[in-house]
Amino acid sequence: MIQHAQEQPRYRAITRSNINQLPQWETMDSDLRRAVEVVSLVLPFRTNAYVAGELIDWSRVPEDPMFQLTFPQREMLTDEHYDEVARLVDRDAPKPEIDEAVNRIRLDLNPHPAGQMTHNVPTLAGDDLDGMQHKYRETVLFFPSHGQTCHAYCTFCFRWAQFVGMEGLKFASSEADTLVRYLRKHPEVSDVLITGGDPMIMKSKIMRQYIEPLLDVETITSIRIGSKAPAYWPQRFVTDKDAGDLLALIEQASERGKNVAIMGHYSHPVELSTDVARQAVLNLRSAGATVRMQSPVLRHINDNAKTWADLWRTGVGLGAVPYYMFVERDTGARRYFEMPLVRCWNIFRNAYQQVSGLARTVRGPSMSAFPGKCHVLGVTEIGGKQAFALEFLQAREPDLVRRPFFAKYDPKATWYDQLEPFSEADRPFFIKPSDAPTPTIDLTVDNRPAAARKSRESSWL
Ligand SMILES: *Cc1c(COP(=O)(O)O)cnc(C)c1O
Ligand code: SF4
């Protein structure tokens, strides 16, 4: 049953400027408060009354995972950066001086994912389509300009650059029109993945302007919506004034034969611990949507197997489908969150062992690297030498998908670009944005890709 509760809790954002209104603020140690004040000048900070009041366990602060997920921490900046900003705060420096330092530090943190900006932007009649990315043949990513913020900001998020200097809003209808024209020219695309920020920040009326035109595109089978709202503001699907309208839109799409998949960003089981969070999943499912769960694996937040097993089990109980465990790379505070790949893999497999087959739909750990989504299958031994076994779950070059390949074992490696081919035969799988065409490998003697073919990439740019 879709349930609409009577009372309507209002969404209240908590940011740097009103943090002292949060009842728990005064209970925090003064050094924690200072860290929030300093670091939030550099990394965007926004949480809300629901996250602070119901998801954070204040008796466990600062270790509490939801606190770590939404509150900036001292160690997220280097000592040097932190001290510089702290000194400016202490002497009440003028705004231009603070801005100069903050912008310089942000550039240092370099949040732009490799290749994203230049390699995946599609074109239509010669024009770049800025709000879109088309990297994998079947799926177009679409960034509606109205969905480029979130109900709370994750401290690890690589999209933070876009929250601090947001572009002007465009007309939803004209963006949707461009998307539909692109899809009609690209019948190979079956999925539109609407992402952000968080598209669920949009009012249902605006969301409708994006979704309805897609219902007439016969080649589209799935409309995916990536969202953290089920965790940060589940009221969006239960008690918000236009929750019913959103659910009706999903029903309408389902009746038109489109699979609406809510790609729920869930990082921790506590995000499913409240009645409203559970009701959100049930409401979405009742409306005909499927709910999937994905998240990066992060130090301080979900770096143990039990957390993941609990998350997947709780999700499956509600009818959600575990989908991806990601390795996060392009985070401003990368050193704070990152872990060696071998540790991510151990967390994954230890969690996977604890759950039934219905939760084993999850894949990971997976790195969204330049050539594709690289799945760490595990550590193995070849001819007495340790190696990472890997595969691509998605690739720019479809022929690379699901061919096992190997990298030299490196216990410290945290990302694909630190890995080296185990042997010459593995070299074609290690592709950089700048790479020239890779050497030919005869498919009759090796199951590896014929890599000499001219990359088809140009047609997807
Ligand atoms: C992950 C991803 C997709 C979707 O991949 P699926 O495996 O189909 O979920 C599409 N585009 C980009 C750029 C991605 O990173
Ligand atoms: S909800 Fe998603 S886009 Fe928003 S801050 Fe978190 S990870 Fe980033």
Side-chain angles (χ1 to χ4, degrees):
M1 260 305 274
I2 293 184
Q3 199 183 87
H4 306 284
Q6 295 309 305
E7 95 235 58
Q8 292 177 348
R10 269 192 50 234
Y11 171 78
R12 270 202 309 126
I14 296 165
T15 63
R16 190 172 190 276
S17 57
N18 69 357
I19 179 78
N20 52 11
Q21 291 167 21
L22 183 73
Q24 292 85 0
W25 182 244
E26 291 305 321
T27 72
M28 278 168 67
D29 284 352
S30 60
D31 51 333
L32 285 180
R33 290 204 302 251
R34 178 172 161 85
V36 171
E37 276 168 345
V38 171
V39 180
S40 66
L41 280 170
V42 179
L43 303 174
F45 165 54
R46 172 185 173 110
T47 186
N48 68 56
Y50 167 75
V51 173
E54 308 215 29
L55 302 187
I56 294 176
D57 176 354
W58 290 91
S59 71
R60 291 180 55 206
V61 165
E63 284 81 28
D64 179 75
M66 294 306 291
F67 181 77
Q68 293 281 332
L69 185 58
T70 57
F71 278 75
Q73 311 292 320
R74 161 73 189 80
E75 293 78 17
M76 288 178 185
L77 297 182
T78 60
D79 288 348
E80 199 186 326
H81 286 159
Y82 184 88
D83 291 343
E84 181 180 359
V85 180
R87 276 195 302 272
L88 293 169
V89 170
D90 285 346
R91 67 175 169 82
D92 228 345
K95 189 166 181 311
E97 207 180 327
I98 295 186
D99 287 350
E100 186 279 322
V102 160
N103 287 334
R104 183 165 29 79
I105 294 170
R106 283 181 184 155
L107 274 179
D108 245 30
L109 298 173
N110 185 22
H112 295 299
Q116 291 281 65
M117 297 307 175
T118 47
H119 281 79
N120 308 324
V121 179
T123 60
L124 191 65
D127 293 330
D128 281 2
L129 302 179
D130 286 335
M132 288 166 59
Q133 266 183 34
H134 191 182
K135 179 169 175 178
Y136 307 130
R137 192 166 53 193
E138 300 77 20
T139 306
V140 161
L141 257 54
F142 177 62
F143 301 80
S145 66
H146 294 254
Q148 297 309 308
T149 184
C150 308
H151 292 99
Y153 295 158
C154 308
T155 41
F156 69 82
C157 180
F158 70 90
R159 295 178 195 172
W160 57 280
Q162 76 204 28
F163 305 145
V164 290
M166 293 200 309
E167 287 179 47
L169 292 187
K170 304 183 183 98
F171 286 111
S173 55
S174 91
E175 285 173 64
D177 178 62
T178 308
L179 172 62
V180 166
R181 282 194 295 135
Y182 184 81
L183 295 174
R184 294 217 185 274
K185 283 222 155 70
H186 292 271
E188 75 277 17
V189 175
S190 61
D191 289 35
V192 173
L193 173 42
I194 305 176
T195 180
D198 192 332
M200 288 298 179
I201 202 93
M202 291 190 269
K203 290 275 175 269
S204 305
K205 221 169 56 196
I206 303 280
M207 183 72 92
R208 188 173 283 281
Q209 293 181 38
Y210 287 110
I211 304 268
E212 272 184 341
L214 296 175
L215 304 184
D216 296 325
V217 183
E218 298 76 28
T219 45
I220 292 300
T221 55
S222 292
I223 300 169
R224 306 195 212 176
I225 305 175
S227 180
K228 183 82 188 172
Y232 280 164
W233 187 245
Q235 290 81 349
R236 178 72 192 90
F237 314 97
V238 185
T239 53
D240 272 9
K241 274 202 183 66
D242 62 347
D245 190 23
L246 178 70
L247 297 171
L249 175 64
I250 292 172
E251 266 174 1
Q252 186 186 333
S254 311
E255 279 159 15
R256 295 283 300 276
K258 307 295 185 199
N259 166 33
V260 178
I262 306 299
M263 310 304 287
H265 172 187
Y266 288 103
S267 323
H268 195 280
V270 75
E271 294 169 333
L272 280 167
S273 66
T274 64
D275 288 344
V276 65
R278 287 193 288 263
Q279 193 61 49
V281 178
L282 298 178
N283 282 5
L284 286 164
R285 289 187 52 230
S286 299
T290 50
V291 178
R292 291 182 184 259
M293 316 168 77
Q294 55 186 26
S295 170
V297 57
L298 301 156
R299 208 145 60 85
H300 303 290
I301 292 175
N302 53 24
D303 53 348
N304 65 83
K306 181 180 182 304
T307 295
W308 285 90
D310 285 349
L311 175 64
W312 296 333
R313 254 194 311 262
T314 310
V316 166
L318 294 163
V321 183
Y323 193 54
Y324 274 129
M325 174 199 274
F326 291 116
V327 181
E328 186 72 30
R329 191 268 307 254
D330 292 294
T331 136
R334 174 173 176 180
R335 274 158 322 187
Y336 189 75
F337 291 113
E338 76 184 356
M339 291 184 283
L341 293 173
V342 60
R343 174 134 187 246
C344 300
W345 167 66
N346 275 314
I347 292 169
F348 181 89
R349 73 191 183 91
N350 288 332
Y352 196 85
Q353 285 166 26
Q354 298 176 35
V355 295
S356 88
L358 291 184
R360 294 187 186 188
T361 47
V362 65
R363 294 166 302 174
S366 165
M367 297 177 272
S368 290
F370 175 77
K373 277 193 172 61
C374 180
H375 184 192
V376 181
L377 290 165
V379 177
T380 185
E381 229 182 71
I382 305 172
K385 276 196 279 183
Q386 279 193 301
F388 278 118
L390 307 160
E391 68 175 357
F392 283 114
L393 294 167
Q394 273 292 3
R396 288 170 189 284
E397 172 50 66
D399 195 42
L400 289 180
V401 169
R402 295 212 74 151
R403 294 177 184 273
F405 66 102
F406 300 95
K408 289 182 183 149
Y409 178 64
D410 175 353
K412 292 212 194 79
T414 58
W415 192 254
Y416 172 84
D417 62 5
Q418 296 156 13
L419 297 177
E420 285 182 45
F422 184 81
S423 71
E424 274 314 298
D426 298 303
R427 198 164 289 285
F429 294 91
F430 291 83
I431 307 159
K432 292 193 201 70
S434 55
D435 270 356
T438 34
T440 313
I441 289 165
D442 187 348
L443 274 178
T444 57
V445 295
D446 192 307
N447 75 337
R448 292 157 208 264
R453 82 238 146 239
K454 182 112 182 63
S455 165
R456 269 174 264 168
E457 190 179 286
S458 56
S459 60
W460 308 335
L461 289 182

